[in-house]
Amino acid sequence: MGRGVPELVLELNGRTWTLDPSRAYTLGRDPQGDMTIDDARVSWRHATIAWNGRSWFIEDHGSTNGTYVHGQRIHQMEIAAGSTVNLGNATDGPRLSLSAADVYSGRAAGPAQPQQTPPHQPQQGGPGWQQPAPQQQAHQQQAPQQPVPPQQQGWQQPAPQQPHVPQQGKAPAPPGPGAGPAGAPPVYGDRSPTTFHQLALGRVMRIGRALENDLVVSDLQVSRNHAEFHATPDGRFEIRDLGSHNGTYVNGQPLAKSGSALIGPNDTVGVGHSTFRLVGDRLEEFVDTGEVSFAARHLTVTVDGGKQILKDVSFGVPEKSLIGVIGPSGSGKSTLLKALTGYRPANQGDVLYDNRNLYKQFAELRQRIGLVPQDDILHKELTVTRALKYAAKLRFPADTTEAERQARIHEVLAELKLDVHKDKKVTSLSGGQRKRVSVALELLTKPSLIFLDEPTSGLDPGMDRDVMQLLRGLADDGRTVLVVTHSVAELAICDKLLVMAPGGAVAYFGPPDEALNFFGYTTWADVFSAFENYRDYDWSGRWRGSQHYQMYAADIDAAAVQSVHMPPPQQMRPPKPQAWGTQLWTLMRRYLSVIGSDKGFMGLMVILPAVLGVVSVVIPADFGLAPPKPPSRFNGDAGTIMLILVIGMTFSAAANSVRELIKERVIYERERATGLSRSAYLMSKVIVLGLITALQGVIICGIGFATRDLPEEGLIMPPAVELCVTIIALGFTSMMFGLVISSLVKTAEKTMPLLVMFAIVQVVFTGILFQVYGSPGLEQFAWLMPSRWAIAGAGSTLDLAHLMPPWDQKNPTDLDPLWEHSVGQWGINITVLLALGVVCGFAVARLLRRHEPEVMRK
């Protein structure tokens, strides 16, 4: 070590290191790191300490709970002897003490002998210290509330006469030190900026993930070169997007890709999880590390006919909270979840993400919200690692490297204790483990808010407890978690409990251990029975007249009701993390991986067309033209053979696709909200299924025509090739009809009856069993059937009009016009057949809109 470099000694938990300026030191829970810190509040790779050529500095790597120097949260900061660094908590997190060495030397850093550190007394907010419960504070002022059974119709508890004492469950605090200049909107409640950056006139400050940027943001949601601030000579400042993948936001609204905007002291600029605000010539940075408050204010949802299915719901929770939501069927829990996540914004009211309006800034804030639906959002045929790999490819920017994605996947797996299951197929995991993998998928992007819909549905009591303890740990680690559940066994683990009454109103909000006493019952079964037996009772009015309302919801409810004025739809839609072609390629690779992992489907894909082809061989007839006289010499079996081949291809192709959209509906809904392209998703299905269907068409035709004597010449190609092209075109269109069915049904069980009905209808309208042409209405309806045009295409190739006996023996010249033996008619038949498939494609794209977040619909 050179004489000009001040030697720095670091002390942690009784161990000391002498730091070498020629290398960097990583801190975190990772056992492979330089300094392993076994504390749940410390992230896997939490921070780095290094010498930058001028001074020692510490850099936080986007840790969940933050890094603090002298009590102030930082992203990157110079440190020196005498500095004090806390990891995970400003007051009682693991503490790094820095001091100067007595001598300079060139030795590498290494641990010294452990030293005993004196024990310290518990302090407020630290381990061993417990804050008095709000109800205990209130009971010191007033008598306990007596249980009042709901049978006392019309009962209203009077509001307490004592002055209201704000409690922990109140609304987010008004803007404080972090609120900036007068009139500026709050950024993150009353937080102070994480770091400061100086802007010089005429200088450009580039922001991005790459280390060569002036302002490095360690966030995988940020592009390598994301945006740049321009300080113009006239004293104004401009933000310019550099073609970022996840977008740059000004006051929550996205800039056009490569667009720019002038900013002032009242404007905020969002880049990934960081928000910037200009104060004079200084840029303040606020990093969203997960510790955010959350509030719903007067949420009301009205459906067609004026019926309210969610009525004036208000509640607020502080950061690092676990909120349970329970209620009987019809109480609006699912509607509330959609309103809170922005999937279906409420008609009235606000959702506040740390004082920021979620609805008006959805495009930016949606990246910080995780949603785990009731059904698993995973392809169960894939291994855990492979499923997360494809999810990371779709959610992270296209310029994210494979190493960066893998590092984040391994970090999440380790955090959720899934690393021992990473090579197992999802379908082989237990119910609780699968739910952990669904949570892991959402944690990839480090959301600050996590919503879960019935995560314990179908789980045994042991797994129910494990999942709830997992959610408790996520909240303690610096996130706000809201879980909708039917299980009441583990409610005590929650910080607050929201009970919804029939009709979508709030019946209770407060500590879970006081809820039963509030309702006047001893079990939740009794409470739910009371909801059912007294549906007309004013449960919400009883709640609003209670002391619990004054303690836990009055502050939020006092805000005036506001109508939701949504930004234009183009501003609500988030940008796509990758280009359309990149998404398509990733989706195709994932789909092929899913199919390749399902050996049963692959076997059926080959066996089904082979069996159908063999069935057609049973009929002993050839396709050669018979002499025109006598009529009994006509080859009537040619039409029957083609009928079997056509219906076989119709059934096989539709069966390939009829379940593909319905079985992935939950996955599609979630991925669409994270920026998935609808057309790329649909096209990935069409291409992969189209290739499979074409292969099946070749198998059917290869078996069906191998033993037949075909005409010597076709219209434009050899007859076997021409017939195979017709069969493949029929397979494509039938496959698209299968996708239409899959997009229409609500459950996978309904697909098989519709598939059988579709195949039977195709048999009737082929024109082989009876005369279709020349029948008004019937002929026009048959034009909608793929089998009608496929038989017509085969009829043109084989000249079925003359090969089969005429329908009218007295007028043998009265022939089916679609069977005309000409190149033009064959081209028309194939063109119409393919056009039907294209129309189905547009129909599927339209139907997919019904299964998307409302703010995403075009």
Side-chain angles (χ1 to χ4, degrees):
M1 180 180 293
R3 298 288 300 177
V5 179
E7 189 174 71
L8 197 65
V9 177
L10 182 149
E11 181 181 352
L12 169 67
N13 294 332
R15 304 178 66 189
T16 60
W17 288 261
T18 301
L19 305 187
D20 182 354
S22 64
R23 54 165 296 192
Y25 295 84
T26 59
L27 296 78
R29 297 203 318 272
D30 186 0
Q32 304 301 319
D34 298 295
M35 304 174 192
T36 303
I37 306 170
D38 188 14
D39 190 296
R41 293 168 295 180
V42 177
S43 295
W44 191 253
R45 293 180 178 86
H46 195 102
T48 297
I49 296 179
W51 173 261
N52 63 7
R54 302 185 308 272
S55 62
W56 291 97
F57 73 98
I58 184 168
E59 179 181 5
D60 184 276
H61 291 305
S63 64
T64 299
N65 293 319
T67 302
Y68 302 85
V69 176
H70 299 302
Q72 180 180 358
R73 186 163 188 166
I74 59 94
H75 171 66
Q76 186 181 80
M77 188 173 183
E78 294 183 356
I79 53 176
S83 298
T84 301
V85 179
N86 288 85
L87 305 180
N89 188 283
T91 56
D92 67 324
R95 181 174 178 175
L96 312 179
S97 298
L98 304 175
S99 59
D102 294 333
V103 296
Y104 295 109
S105 68
R107 57 191 168 89
Q113 294 298 323
Q115 302 175 4
Q116 298 296 325
T117 56
H120 61 276
Q121 296 297 324
Q123 58 180 327
Q124 180 170 335
W129 180 85
Q130 293 184 346
Q131 180 181 4
Q135 62 269 25
Q136 295 173 346
Q137 299 174 11
H139 289 179
Q140 295 173 3
Q141 301 181 23
Q142 55 194 26
Q145 175 183 329
Q146 296 298 323
V148 180
Q151 290 86 336
Q152 300 178 11
Q153 297 286 345
W155 176 88
Q156 296 284 341
Q157 179 176 351
Q161 300 299 319
Q162 292 83 359
H164 170 60
V165 180
Q167 301 296 330
Q168 190 177 4
K170 64 184 180 63
V187 178
Y188 288 114
D190 56 357
R191 289 169 177 70
S192 298
T194 308
T195 52
F196 302 92
H197 310 278
Q198 198 69 30
L199 281 174
L201 292 180
R203 184 190 168 198
V204 175
M205 177 180 285
R206 177 166 292 187
I207 304 172
R209 200 175 72 250
L211 296 178
E212 62 266 19
N213 288 283
D214 302 295
L215 202 164
V216 179
V217 179
S218 300
D219 183 355
L220 291 183
Q221 295 284 5
V222 177
S223 299
R224 295 186 62 82
N225 296 293
H226 196 104
E228 58 187 18
F229 283 98
H230 287 256
T232 61
D234 59 1
R236 297 189 299 174
F237 294 90
E238 179 186 48
I239 179 67
R240 180 178 301 166
D241 184 82
L242 298 178
S244 63
H245 297 88
N246 279 326
T248 303
Y249 301 85
V250 176
N251 299 324
Q253 308 307 317
L255 281 178
K257 184 162 287 192
S258 301
S260 61
L262 291 173
I263 58 172
N266 293 336
D267 297 321
T268 60
V269 176
V271 174
H273 286 76
S274 296
T275 303
F276 301 91
R277 185 177 55 212
L278 192 64
V279 179
D281 59 351
R282 189 175 67 173
L283 197 63
E284 297 182 345
E285 180 182 4
F286 300 80
V287 180
D288 184 352
T289 56
E291 298 181 358
V292 298
S293 61
F294 184 72
R297 200 165 57 185
H298 298 292
L299 296 183
T300 300
V301 174
T302 306
V303 295
D304 295 339
K307 181 181 178 181
Q308 291 185 347
I309 57 176
L310 200 66
K311 299 179 180 178
D312 200 17
V313 174
S314 297
F315 66 93
V317 295
E319 59 193 40
K320 300 173 65 172
S321 296
L322 174 59
I323 312 302
V325 180
I326 63 172
S329 299
S331 59
K333 299 188 298 296
S334 297
T335 302
L336 175 63
L337 194 63
K338 292 179 181 179
L340 294 177
T341 56
Y343 272 41
R344 198 289 186 195
N347 300 96
Q348 286 186 322
D350 303 298
V351 176
L352 301 180
Y353 178 103
D354 234 22
N355 287 335
R356 301 179 66 183
N357 192 302
L358 174 64
Y359 293 163
K360 296 180 180 179
Q361 303 184 31
F362 179 79
E364 177 185 356
L365 297 180
R366 57 96 193 178
Q367 300 179 19
R368 310 179 193 182
I369 295 177
L371 173 62
V372 181
Q374 181 175 349
D375 298 324
D376 294 327
I377 48 178
L378 302 157
H379 290 90
K380 299 179 181 179
E381 301 84 0
L382 302 178
T383 63
V384 172
T385 300
R386 188 173 289 270
L388 294 180
K389 182 187 77 170
Y390 286 119
K393 283 187 175 182
L394 289 172
R395 297 192 181 198
F396 289 142
D399 62 2
T400 307
T401 65
E402 183 70 21
E404 288 175 317
R405 290 194 296 266
Q406 288 295 334
R408 180 57 188 157
I409 290 172
H410 292 157
E411 183 177 351
V412 170
L413 290 175
E415 180 179 358
L416 299 182
K417 298 178 175 61
L418 285 169
D419 39 3
V420 296
H421 304 294
K422 64 181 181 180
D423 296 323
K424 296 180 181 178
K425 285 189 175 182
V426 176
T427 187
S428 67
L429 302 178
S430 66
Q433 291 168 345
R434 284 201 302 271
K435 194 58 63 178
R436 281 178 177 265
V437 179
S438 293
V439 173
L441 190 151
E442 291 300 313
L443 290 184
L444 288 175
T445 54
K446 296 186 178 181
S448 302
L449 288 174
I450 301 178
F451 297 87
L452 301 99
D453 188 8
E454 302 287 354
T456 61
S457 178
L459 302 183
D460 61 49
M463 290 184 179
D464 180 3
R465 180 180 57 191
D466 291 343
V467 171
M468 292 301 291
Q469 289 177 344
L470 165 68
L471 303 184
R472 177 71 267 171
L474 292 177
D476 293 339
D477 202 29
R479 304 175 183 91
T480 300
V481 182
L482 186 144
V483 53
V484 175
T485 179
H486 278 304
S487 175
V488 297
E490 303 295 331
L491 293 179
I493 207 171
C494 299
D495 296 303
K496 292 290 187 296
L497 179 65
L498 176 67
V499 183
M500 301 295 293
V506 177
Y508 173 82
F509 178 73
D513 55 354
E514 298 182 23
L516 287 175
N517 184 59
F518 172 83
F519 287 107
Y521 291 103
T522 57
T523 67
W524 283 108
D526 293 332
V527 175
F528 278 48
S529 295
F531 283 150
E532 180 64 28
N533 296 331
Y534 302 95
R535 299 186 70 88
D536 295 333
Y537 182 73
D538 186 10
W539 296 100
S540 180
R542 180 175 185 268
W543 153 243
R544 292 177 185 277
S546 69
Q547 298 170 359
H548 285 76
Y549 169 80
Q550 295 295 327
M551 288 190 290
Y552 302 116
D555 289 348
I556 295 175
D557 220 18
V561 180
Q562 300 181 18
S563 297
V564 180
H565 301 290
M566 306 300 292
Q570 61 270 19
Q571 295 184 3
M572 293 290 290
R573 288 186 222 108
K576 298 176 179 61
Q578 302 90 17
W580 187 88
T582 304
Q583 284 196 0
L584 175 63
W585 178 239
T586 301
L587 291 167
M588 289 175 58
R589 290 180 59 192
R590 182 178 69 177
Y591 193 21
L592 288 171
S593 296
V594 171
I595 293 175
S597 302
D598 191 346
K599 307 303 182 185
F601 178 81
M602 292 182 66
L604 185 63
M605 178 184 71
V606 176
I607 293 173
L608 180 60
V611 170
L612 295 172
V614 170
V615 169
S616 70
V617 177
V618 175
I619 302 174
D622 294 320
F623 293 112
L625 281 173
K629 293 180 182 181
S632 59
R633 296 281 310 276
F634 278 97
N635 188 355
D637 290 332
T640 305
I641 296 170
M642 287 308 306
L643 174 65
I644 293 173
L645 293 174
V646 164
I647 299 306
M649 187 72 255
T650 298
F651 183 83
S652 181
N656 290 338
S657 61
V658 76
R659 288 177 177 266
E660 291 308 300
L661 298 183
I662 181 63
K663 75 179 184 181
E664 292 186 356
R665 182 162 296 170
V666 177
I667 298 175
Y668 172 74
E669 289 176 357
R670 183 67 193 118
E671 290 182 343
R672 180 72 173 129
T674 61
L676 179 69
S677 167
R678 182 196 310 148
S679 58
Y681 175 78
L682 178 57
M683 190 57 65
S684 70
K685 297 292 183 185
V686 172
I687 293 175
V688 174
L689 291 174
L691 293 174
I692 293 173
T693 301
L695 175 62
Q696 292 177 326
V698 172
I699 294 174
I700 287 180
C701 293
I703 296 175
F705 299 146
T707 60
R708 304 291 185 188
D709 290 332
L710 297 173
E712 294 181 358
E713 295 182 359
L715 293 171
I716 56 177
M717 293 176 284
V721 177
E722 209 165 273
L723 290 172
C724 190
V725 169
T726 302
I727 293 298
I728 292 175
L730 170 66
F732 167 77
T733 301
S734 299
M735 176 200 74
M736 298 304 297
F737 269 91
L739 290 178
V740 171
I741 294 173
S742 191
S743 62
L744 280 172
V745 296
K746 293 183 178 179
T747 61
E749 290 75 16
K750 295 180 180 179
T751 57
M752 292 311 297
L754 292 175
L755 173 62
V756 173
M757 183 181 70
F758 171 71
I760 292 176
V761 170
Q762 300 310 305
V763 175
V764 176
F765 292 98
T766 55
I768 293 291
L769 300 180
F770 61 91
Q771 179 179 338
V772 173
Y773 69 93
S775 301
L778 181 65
E779 179 180 13
Q780 285 71 33
F781 182 76
W783 290 345
L784 302 176
M785 302 295 123
S787 61
R788 169 66 169 149
W789 296 99
I791 287 292
S796 296
T797 297
L798 299 172
D799 196 12
L800 280 182
H802 294 96
L803 192 62
M804 291 178 59
W807 294 110
D808 188 353
Q809 299 290 339
K810 298 180 179 180
N811 186 11
T813 61
D814 185 16
L815 304 175
D816 192 330
L818 300 186
W819 293 2
E820 179 184 338
H821 187 60
S822 67
V823 174
Q825 187 59 51
W826 183 86
I828 291 174
N829 294 335
I830 299 301
T831 300
V832 174
L833 182 58
L834 294 174
L836 285 175
V838 173
V839 171
C840 288
F842 283 105
V844 173
R846 187 73 179 175
L847 291 169
L848 282 175
R849 293 178 67 254
R850 303 182 308 160
H851 310 297
E852 299 174 358
E854 188 168 307
V855 295
M856 300 286 295
R857 299 176 187 174
K858 297 182 181 179

